[in-house]
Amino acid sequence: MLSVTQLQSGPIAVRDVRCSAGPDARPFTEVHRGYSLAYVRQGSFGYRVRGEHHELVAGSLLVGRPGDEFICTHDHHVCGDECLAFHLAPEVLDLVNGHGGAWRTGGMPPLPELMVLGEVAQAAADGRSDVGLDEAGLCLAARFVQVASGREPALQRATASDRRRAVEAALWISSHSQQDMSLDQSAARAGLSLFHFLRLFSRVLGVSPHQYLVRSRLRHAARLLAGGEQSVTDVALDVGFADLSNFVRTFHRAAGMSPGAFRQAARKGKKGERKILQDRMATLLDDGRLIHPSSRKPPCTTTSV
């Protein structure tokens, strides 16, 4: 009846949760072991916690607080439900100033400012976006705390020191993009907290650290495909993609063609095809500062939390 798939571990653990329970299922009491946000992406269910009853539908958030007993009900629901659940370590709450009463809300209705971030997170989980799951989780948690606490985000100016740190981090990511690296590792190297690093990098460069990492890999892949003899599989592995299908999908989304078609156009394309290729290359190889037209705004708003 319940299927849970671990998508990511660490300070921000992410799980894909699918429940097929219906009205005949007998509800039982459970206990939250930590802080969590579960984005309901499909279906609906009831959520009883601290004497309150929430009806959660697609776009809602289930809010978990450690020690709270809860019951999930399916009295009116026959289609099952699916959630993308973020389990947050205590240090993550420090980053988003989340130690207030926000976690007593139990459930949040489908609010536009939270739904859009939930869908970004789901796109990242599905491999349809180059936003990192940890980045998406941080942004969702920060925005949830702001909304639940009634605090509006405050814009901050980037100082000269901020710009220098962001550029240095980008240069390091570009030169080491073939390696496995997580957001917390990049933040530690920059000497910043996880969320501060994400906000600073996105504010200064217009893309998130994970987006820049993926796009650095795409730039290197484009160069290898256009001028080398390696197979597409070898290129994918050499630039840092562990999964060939993910590389092909990501490259196609960015370049508008498959890696094989890109290579062919680079070597034998007709004049019209070469013009298209040149335009794509200009986007991919923009001095390492690629900003895809669909991603000119960072996924996480610049906020003071």
Side-chain angles (χ1 to χ4, degrees):
M1 269 195 311
L2 185 66
S3 171
V4 179
T5 303
Q6 186 87 11
L7 302 179
Q8 177 177 294
S9 58
I12 303 175
V14 187
R15 296 168 185 164
D16 180 282
V17 182
R18 302 170 187 244
C19 179
S20 59
D24 295 335
R26 183 176 180 179
F28 58 93
T29 302
E30 302 176 73
V31 179
H32 286 296
R33 302 301 179 187
Y35 293 96
S36 64
L37 292 173
Y39 176 68
V40 184
R41 64 167 181 258
Q42 184 173 309
S44 60
F45 58 97
Y47 176 54
R48 299 176 187 171
V49 62
R50 293 190 310 280
E52 299 178 350
H53 190 101
H54 304 268
E55 290 292 339
L56 302 181
V57 297
S60 301
L61 276 182
L62 183 156
V63 182
R65 192 182 69 153
D68 280 353
E69 295 185 349
F70 68 97
I71 296 175
C72 288
T73 63
H74 304 83
D75 298 336
H76 314 294
H77 323 293
V78 296
C79 59
D81 58 85
E82 298 180 5
C83 297
L84 185 66
F86 294 87
H87 297 263
L88 312 175
E91 58 265 31
V92 175
L93 266 67
D94 293 335
L95 301 178
V96 299
N97 195 20
H99 290 287
W103 299 94
R104 297 185 61 85
T105 56
M108 296 290 283
L111 301 177
E113 56 267 54
L114 298 177
M115 289 171 61
V116 292
L117 293 176
E119 290 302 323
V120 167
Q122 187 58 56
D126 292 341
R128 294 181 285 109
S129 169
D130 55 3
V131 174
L133 263 179
D134 43 11
E135 294 173 349
L138 269 177
C139 291
L140 180 61
R143 191 62 179 133
F144 157 73
V145 169
Q146 291 164 354
V147 171
S149 304
R151 297 197 301 266
E152 287 301 315
L155 296 178
Q156 295 179 332
R157 290 183 176 274
T159 65
S161 176
D162 288 339
R163 292 192 292 271
R164 176 182 56 79
R165 276 182 153 176
V167 170
E168 288 178 351
L171 291 173
W172 186 85
I173 289 174
S174 181
S175 62
H176 295 81
S177 60
Q178 74 280 7
Q179 302 175 7
D180 288 334
M181 63 178 74
S182 63
L183 180 62
D184 53 341
Q185 289 171 334
S186 299
R189 191 186 181 283
L192 299 170
S193 69
L194 202 78
F195 192 54
H196 186 194
F197 175 68
L198 173 59
R199 288 188 301 174
L200 184 152
F201 195 102
S202 301
R203 180 168 72 242
V204 172
L205 298 179
V207 292
S208 74
H210 188 79
Q211 285 176 317
Y212 189 77
L213 170 64
V214 171
R215 294 169 189 188
S216 294
R217 289 171 174 170
L218 291 176
R219 287 190 298 107
H220 297 152
R223 288 172 177 161
L224 291 175
L225 289 168
E229 300 295 333
Q230 293 172 282
S231 68
V232 171
T233 299
D234 287 341
V235 168
L237 295 175
D238 283 353
V239 301
F241 284 89
D243 181 76
L244 178 61
S245 62
N246 182 38
F247 168 66
V248 172
R249 182 173 58 250
T250 304
F251 191 96
H252 195 289
R253 185 171 61 240
M257 61 183 77
S258 68
F262 184 91
R263 165 172 279 168
Q264 185 176 7
R267 297 179 179 180
K268 302 177 181 178
K270 298 177 182 178
K271 185 176 181 180
E273 292 173 335
R274 284 187 180 278
K275 179 62 170 64
I276 295 174
L277 176 65
Q278 289 168 359
D279 291 342
R280 298 289 184 182
M281 288 286 284
T283 302
L284 284 170
L285 306 175
D286 185 19
D287 293 330
R289 301 258 333 243
L290 184 153
I291 301 180
H292 193 273
S294 64
S295 305
R296 293 188 182 277
K297 292 182 180 181
C300 186
T301 54
T302 304
T303 59
S304 177
V305 295

